[in-house]
Amino acid sequence: AAAGNFGLIRLDREGTIDAEFAFTNTAGLNVENAVVLADGSVIPTWLQTNSNLIWSEAGRWSRTGERDLSYNGGWADNFGTNSQVTAMEKAPGTNGFVAAVRTEPVGTVGPRFTRLLVFDESGHGVGRLPESSEIEGTVHAIAFEAVSAETIASGGYDRILVGGDFTKVGETPAKNLASLTREGAVAWAFGTDAGPSGPVYAVEAQLDEKVLIGGAFTNVNGVEAVGMARIYGSSADGATRLFWADEEFRGFEKLGEV
């Protein structure tokens, strides 16, 4: 197939297009996010535009690339005009996924708000975090923390990590990085004058509960860390610590509430 005719492709182990995945779409489809479910089916989201609005749509394709026309992807723009899916990530231990949907005002100046939605192994919505945990700004990346021995043993998750370009979770100051419980409470976050100095575009939790972040920042808590840092996250006891590698190993510790 000619270059540019694919909105979503599957590659084999050699890096060539998998001909068995005959993704059917229209030319120019702008797929921004996708998750693969346990049965091999794929749920992508893509942007649609007109002269005034930009919004997301979602669909489901089988493992062979046939579109499931019965799938209702209306959740992608279910929160008003200019609703956009900004991040999706497979949730460990569930075969489902979590998606971030941002809504912004049209024609007026005002804040953007992001909601986190939870889906089951079939791609159907099973809940969302409460309005008290709405994020003021944009979520660009989602990851998961397992902090209890039982959860670690089962391969599940206790908390949802979000990174992006935001200032608050509910009424709690949270600068560009935060960890939320499954009920939507803030487990830890950086305050307004702390945290990454710019947007976070990638976040991943290590098995030891330390958290890797990458993005357009030059420092964390005023300490130089250009584009990448590792923090202790939930492995810290009463503190959030920054660690990164240079010719010498250096660290930073912030005591008190985070």
Side-chain angles (χ1 to χ4, degrees), residues 50 144 164:
N50 60 27
F144 302 90

Side-chain angles (χ1 to χ4, degrees), residues 86-178:
T86 58
M88 295 168 65
E89 190 68 33
K90 186 80 172 291
T94 69
N95 285 324
F97 63 94
V98 173
V101 182
R102 185 191 70 204
T103 301
E104 59 184 279
V106 179
T108 60
V109 177
R112 298 173 169 181
F113 287 97
T114 296
R115 298 170 173 89
L116 296 180
L117 310 182
V118 182
F119 296 81
D120 63 15
E121 67 277 2
S122 300
H124 298 114
V126 294
R128 79 179 200 189
L129 272 63
E131 291 186 6
S132 60
S133 61
E134 287 184 352
I135 298 163
E136 187 170 318
T138 302
V139 170
H140 294 301
I142 298 172
F144 302 90
E145 286 188 301
V147 296
S148 70
E150 181 180 353
T151 303
I152 293 172
S154 67
Y157 72 96
D158 296 301
R159 298 171 181 171
I160 302 171
L161 280 167
V162 290
D165 186 4
F166 52 82
T167 57
K168 293 195 299 185
V169 177
E171 297 300 320
T172 303
K175 186 178 179 181
N176 299 333
L177 183 67

Side-chain angles (χ1 to χ4, degrees), residues 4-79:
N5 288 343
F6 294 94
L8 182 70
I9 63 173
R10 184 168 66 192
L11 304 179
D12 62 21
R13 290 176 179 267
E14 286 71 43
T16 56
I17 293 176
D18 183 354
E20 294 182 359
F21 186 78
F23 180 72
T24 55
N25 68 302
T26 57
L29 187 63
N30 185 7
V31 172
E32 293 208 320
N33 304 279
V35 292
V36 180
L37 302 181
D39 62 359
S41 61
V42 181
I43 295 182
T45 66
W46 60 91
L47 287 181
Q48 296 278 32
T49 63
N50 60 27
S51 58
N52 297 313
L53 303 175
I54 301 175
W55 70 96
S56 289
E57 293 187 358
R60 178 171 176 163
W61 275 258
S62 72
R63 65 184 302 145
T64 59
E66 298 174 352
R67 186 168 185 178
D68 179 0
L69 297 178
S70 67
Y71 180 74
N72 181 5
W75 58 267
D77 67 345
N78 200 33
F79 297 106

Side-chain angles (χ1 to χ4, degrees), residues 180-205:
L180 284 68
T181 68
R182 296 180 73 143
E183 292 74 34
V186 176
W188 58 264
F190 288 101
T192 304
D193 297 326
S197 61
V200 173
Y201 292 110
V203 59
E204 188 62 57

